[in-house]
Amino acid sequence: MVEQTRRLVLGGGTHGVVGRCRDFTRRALADWRWPSGSEAVDDAVLLVSEVITNACLHAGGPHELVLRHCPGQLRVEVSDGSAELPRVLPPRERVRPGGYGLVLLERLTEGWGTVPTGVGRPGKILWLELPGPA
């Protein structure tokens, strides 16, 4: 099977974007025959919500959500206009609300990271990779 890709252009807005991205992800996974209500689908939707929320809170809003599906794996990419890299809060700061999204990424993904958006374009792409359903 060849990689299948879905793109949702968001344009940097924040209003209603998290729900749109969750719905977009659920539809794509259903089209790719991931079992509805499975742990794999729940993890993917949760992590998309987290990274989109982080882009809204810390980067002025996401520009694009890209889902790349190939056998046994889903790659999620979220681009934004901020060059600031995500960072896990040290334990002393964890008493404040929030700050657990990147901890979830570390625990639920096969890997995650960031890359610069590209020459002449400010920002970054945060990517994560998840195993497909068992």
Side-chain angles (χ1 to χ4, degrees):
M1 177 164 103
V2 178
E3 178 183 280
Q4 299 178 48
T5 302
R6 298 279 174 95
R7 294 179 185 277
L8 179 61
V9 176
L10 301 161
T14 59
H15 181 71
V17 72
V18 176
R20 284 180 56 209
C21 291
R22 280 195 300 259
D23 293 343
F24 177 81
T25 301
R26 280 191 194 97
R27 281 192 306 272
L29 295 178
D31 288 349
W32 294 328
R33 300 196 187 331
W34 285 39
S36 178
S38 69
E39 188 174 312
V41 169
D42 291 345
D43 286 352
V45 171
L46 171 67
L47 292 172
V48 164
S49 295
E50 287 294 331
V51 295
I52 294 295
T53 297
N54 283 349
C56 289
L57 293 174
H58 306 293
H63 292 176
E64 184 177 48
L65 168 64
V66 179
L67 305 176
R68 300 180 190 279
H69 178 256
C70 61
Q73 188 177 66
L74 176 69
R75 182 178 173 104
V76 175
E77 299 173 1
V78 176
S79 61
D80 63 51
S82 172
E84 184 175 339
L85 299 178
R87 63 182 179 86
V88 177
L89 296 175
R92 63 181 166 72
E93 293 183 27
R94 290 209 178 128
V95 294
R96 295 182 2 214
Y100 294 97
L102 296 179
V103 173
L104 287 174
L105 287 179
E106 289 179 355
R107 293 195 177 165
L108 297 178
T109 68
E110 292 180 331
W112 71 275
T114 59
V115 294
T117 305
V119 176
R121 293 175 47 205
K124 66 184 170 300
I125 298 169
L126 182 138
W127 60 269
L128 62 96
E129 294 177 343
L130 292 164

